[in-house]
């Protein structure tokens, strides 16, 4: 159609809306329903009526029998078509700008008709029925939506009818989606925290819903596997050596134990030589690289520890079979280590073994540290610890609290600083250093853990030594918590590398994590590589180890975030259930009228308004004002310094 066939004041369609032609130039100048004007190309419009059209707002909906017109066209036979002029006459009995636009709206609606102004066809009967049903569903959906909004405005919801709309809010709260029309309608930004707040306000969720595992896409369960059998192989029988797995009483995955074979002392009571065994659950005997169980463990990265329970990296029946001390005789990979007078360790050998393990709690061991064999085991640990201290290790003690949810009750248990915990830590570090040094000497690629050294003005220990008297987690036990806080913040993050290098934070020339293969995948990789070396098989190359590190690091970083956020969530639930809570805090950082404090009894950091400057490490008494659970914030006021 050329420009000559369109006249001023003709009725056209532009982008689905009616428009009036004003003048013809190289383009069409048209007027839109809102009064604005535009110059458009001829091909961008459809001509509906030659006019004249004086006002677009005079185009009103007409009454006519659309269904009868459709039936008449349908009865005309297959392939029957008509013009818009014919259709307007069939429906409304006339062809005017108003009837032309009304007829065209039916074509655009697409229920009974389809086509262009010059060739409009009736839709098939089955298509019309489907379109009418779809329109009815859409109208019903709109009605339910309006009813839901009315209830929402009054702070109510219908648990049956409104579930589809609230599921959209829930999906945003779990970060399964980024958009949510409910929040958009309410004028709130579409953030998971705002969705969480709305669900709490409505009572659709309560405070016991912890959204963080799902928000980070963490698997919540793992099933037992069938046919868990360890391969037949020669194992060194070490059942004659007393072996102890020391952990918290509720530990479910004991994966390390220790034994003392020989201890020689000089005439001053110092260690001349100690030979000891560190036994570790022999997971790599069952899980070989790239097998199905290995891929599953790799995808999980590590065991997830939540206040409401743990999600293991390995199937529960594998833990029951391989955990040390969970059976009368346990399979282990045992590291034979020698410690000299200066605390230097050497890996003498390592073997698949059989051990008979006694499980003990830290508290049980603490009560016996002055008796054999615990006195000797602590002497070894202390000698090694002193070597690390001389080599620049940092001992940063910060308040720790175990958060547990038992039958819906939140329990906060301040972690006591016990020498028995130090004892186990030092023995496990010995194993990590000995294995890393052995791997370095034999050119075995491993996931080594490295960290740059950070001098702290000659201060090696920035909080009290473990074993000093402590009343729960009172601030008196933390005389320089501000320095500990500052040092911790200044430390560079440790890195996992295929090349051995120093770990400045723990004061060791080489280190790898090798004692927790039940709950950390890269520890399992260490064991898999050592077993390949032990049996003379081809090792995983450096590139393969690097790929495994890359596959796991993102996952374990997410797990660490989920654990930290979940602990804070449940700590705030505890506070929310104790309105008006009061407790002490230690000032660790100050910026004008705002202070950063640590509440040792909660192991919680918070900001608080300060009426005047105070020295760092000042003990303050705080009162809880409010808890904002979705934002993970707790607000306090100082009631006295």
């Amino acid at each position: 159609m050329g420009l000559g066939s369109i006249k001023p004041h003709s009725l056209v369609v532009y982008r689905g809306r009616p428009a009036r032609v004003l003048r013809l130039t190289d383009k069409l100048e048209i007027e839109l329903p809102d009064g604005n004007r535009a110059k458009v190309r001829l091909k961008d419009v459809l001509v509906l009526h030659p006019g004249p059209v004086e006002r677009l707002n005079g185009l009103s909906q007409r009454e006519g029998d659309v269904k009868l017109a459709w039936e008449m066209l349908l009865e005309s036979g297959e392939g029957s078509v008509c013009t818009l002029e014919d259709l307007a006459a069939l429906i409304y009995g006339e062809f005017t700008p108003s009837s032309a636009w009304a007829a065209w709206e039916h074509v655009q609606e697409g229920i009974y008709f389809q086509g262009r102004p010059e060739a409009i066809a009736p839709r098939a009967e089955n298509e019309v029925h489907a379109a009418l049903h779809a329109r009815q569903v859409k109208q019903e959906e709109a009605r339910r939506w309006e009813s839901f909004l009315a209830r929402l405005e009054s702070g109510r919801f219908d648990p049956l009818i409104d579930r589809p709309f609230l599921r959209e809010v829930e999906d945003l709260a779990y970060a399964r989606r980024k958009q949510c029309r409910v929040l958009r309608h309410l004028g709130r930004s579409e953030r998971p925290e705002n969705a969480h707040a709305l669900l709490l306000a409505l009572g659709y969720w309560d405070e016991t819903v912890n959204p963080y595992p799902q928000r980070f896409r963490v698997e919540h369960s793992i099933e037992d596997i069938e046919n868990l059998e360890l391969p037949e192989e020669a194992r060194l029988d070490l059942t004659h050596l007393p072996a102890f797995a020391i952990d918290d009483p509720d530990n479910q995955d004991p994966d390390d134990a220790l034994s003392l074979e020989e201890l020689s002392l000089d005439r001053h009571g110092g260690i001349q030589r100690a030979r000891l065994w560190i036994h570790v659950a022999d997971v790599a005997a069952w899980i070989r690289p790239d097998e199905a169980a290995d891929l599953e463990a790799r995808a999980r990265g590590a065991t997830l520890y939540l206040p409401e329970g743990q999600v293991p990296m390995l199937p529960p029946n594998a833990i029951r079979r391989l955990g040390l001390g969970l059976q009368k005789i346990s399979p282990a990979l045992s590291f034979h280590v020698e410690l000299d007078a200066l605390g230097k360790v050497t890996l003498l050998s390592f073997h698949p073994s059989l051990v008979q393990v006694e499980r003990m709690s830290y508290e049980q061991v603490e009560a016996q540290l002055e008796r054999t064999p615990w006195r000797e085991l602590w002497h070894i640990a202390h000698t090694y610890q002193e070597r690390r201290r001389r080599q620049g290790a940092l001992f940063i003690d910060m308040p720790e609290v175990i958060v547990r949810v038992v039958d819906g009750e939140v329990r906060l248990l301040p972690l006591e600083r016990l020498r028995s915990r130090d004892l186990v830590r030092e023995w496990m570090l010995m194993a990590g250093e000995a294995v890393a040094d052995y791997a370095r000497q034999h050119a075995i690629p491993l996931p080594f853990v490295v960290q740059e050294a950070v001098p702290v003005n000659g201060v090696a220990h920035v909080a009290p030594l473990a074993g000093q008297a402590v009343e729960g987690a009172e601030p008196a036990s933390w005389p320089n918590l501000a320095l500990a806080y500052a040092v911790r913040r200044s430390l560079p993050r440790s890195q996992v590398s295929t090349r051995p290098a120093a770990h400045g934070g723990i004061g060791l020339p080489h280190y790898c994590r090798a004692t927790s293969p039940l709950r950390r995948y890269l520890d399992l990789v260490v064991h898999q590589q050592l077993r390949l070396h032990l049996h003379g098989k081809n090792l995983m190359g450096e590139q393969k180890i690097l790929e495994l590190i890359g596959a796991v690091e993102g996952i374990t970083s997410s797990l660490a975030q989920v654990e930290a956020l979940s602990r804070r969530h449940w700590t705030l639930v505890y506070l929310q259930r104790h309105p008006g809570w009061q407790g002490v805090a230690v000032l660790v950082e100050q910026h004008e009228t705002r202070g950063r404090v640590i509440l040792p009894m909660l192991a919680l950091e918070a900001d608080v308004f300060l009426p005047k400057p105070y020295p760092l490490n000042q003990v303050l008494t705080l009162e809880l004002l409010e808890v904002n659970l979705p934002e993970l914030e707790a607000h306090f006021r100082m009631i006295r310094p």
Side-chain angles (χ1 to χ4, degrees), residues 85-140:
E85 181 176 355
D86 296 332
L87 183 61
L90 278 173
I91 299 175
Y92 303 110
E94 61 180 359
F95 182 55
T96 64
S98 180
S99 67
W101 174 248
W104 181 248
E105 283 190 305
H106 289 300
V107 177
Q108 288 191 121
E109 186 181 35
I111 292 179
Y112 289 100
F113 309 102
Q114 59 187 354
R116 295 173 62 83
E118 65 273 13
I120 299 171
R123 297 191 68 180
E125 188 172 0
N126 64 323
E127 293 177 341
V128 170
H129 290 160
L132 287 171
H133 177 71
R135 183 173 67 177
Q136 183 180 6
V137 169
K138 187 175 181 180
Q139 291 172 342
E140 177 61 23

Side-chain angles (χ1 to χ4, degrees), residues 455-502:
V456 192
N457 299 323
V459 179
H461 203 104
V462 295
L465 287 170
Q468 285 187 285
V470 55
E471 295 293 333
E474 290 299 318
S477 301
W478 311 96
N480 207 346
L481 191 54
L483 178 57
Y485 176 79
V487 170
R488 187 184 65 177
R489 293 190 63 189
S490 71
L491 286 177
R493 296 187 61 175
S494 61
Q495 305 290 328
V496 184
S497 170
T498 56
R499 304 291 177 87

Side-chain angles (χ1 to χ4, degrees), residues 264-275:
S264 301
L265 302 177
D266 61 27
R267 59 193 180 92
H268 301 291
I271 292 177
Q272 285 187 322
R273 187 185 71 173
R275 286 197 170 181

Side-chain angles (χ1 to χ4, degrees), residues 165 232 282 514 516 566:
F165 304 119
E232 292 290 336
D282 198 2
S516 296
S566 296

Side-chain angles (χ1 to χ4, degrees), residues 98-295:
S98 180
S99 67
W101 174 248
W104 181 248
E105 283 190 305
H106 289 300
V107 177
Q108 288 191 121
E109 186 181 35
I111 292 179
Y112 289 100
F113 309 102
Q114 59 187 354
R116 295 173 62 83
E118 65 273 13
I120 299 171
R123 297 191 68 180
E125 188 172 0
N126 64 323
E127 293 177 341
V128 170
H129 290 160
L132 287 171
H133 177 71
R135 183 173 67 177
Q136 183 180 6
V137 169
K138 187 175 181 180
Q139 291 172 342
E140 177 61 23
E141 172 69 15
R143 186 193 65 77
R144 287 200 302 267
W145 170 250
E146 291 301 324
S147 298
F148 164 69
L149 292 180
R151 285 188 291 274
L152 189 65
E153 294 292 346
S154 62
R156 299 179 297 108
F157 72 95
D158 186 309
L160 296 178
I161 300 174
D162 297 338
R163 189 171 296 276
F165 304 119
L166 291 173
R167 188 174 295 122
E168 184 178 312
V169 182
E170 197 170 39
D171 284 345
L172 177 59
Y174 284 134
R176 295 174 185 152
R177 63 188 305 151
K178 294 183 178 180
Q179 296 179 327
C180 174
R181 60 176 173 161
V182 177
L183 286 181
R184 196 157 53 246
H185 171 82
L186 294 174
R188 303 179 190 178
S189 59
E190 294 162 82
R191 301 168 54 239
E193 294 79 7
N194 285 343
H196 188 177
L198 177 59
L199 294 170
L200 288 175
L202 290 173
Y204 190 78
W205 279 7
D206 62 22
E207 76 277 10
T208 65
V209 177
N210 173 13
Y212 301 102
Q214 291 200 49
R215 198 174 286 182
F216 282 80
R217 308 291 187 273
V218 172
E219 291 288 342
H220 251 78
S221 62
I222 185 170
E223 301 296 327
D224 280 336
I225 59 168
E226 297 180 1
N227 304 319
L228 172 57
E229 296 292 339
L230 295 180
E232 292 290 336
E233 65 178 320
R235 288 186 174 274
L236 181 64
D237 189 344
L238 296 176
T239 55
H240 63 285
L241 283 175
F244 306 99
I246 309 166
D247 220 313
D248 290 305
D250 59 351
N251 176 265
Q252 302 174 34
D253 46 11
D255 49 12
D256 52 64
L258 44 90
S259 296
L260 176 60
E261 180 184 72
E262 176 188 346
L263 177 62
S264 301
L265 302 177
D266 61 27
R267 59 193 180 92
H268 301 291
I271 292 177
Q272 285 187 322
R273 187 185 71 173
R275 286 197 170 181
L276 46 121
W277 290 87
I278 300 163
H279 315 288
V280 184
D282 198 2
V283 182
W286 167 56
I287 299 182
R288 296 177 180 81
D290 295 326
E291 290 184 349
D294 178 65
L295 297 176

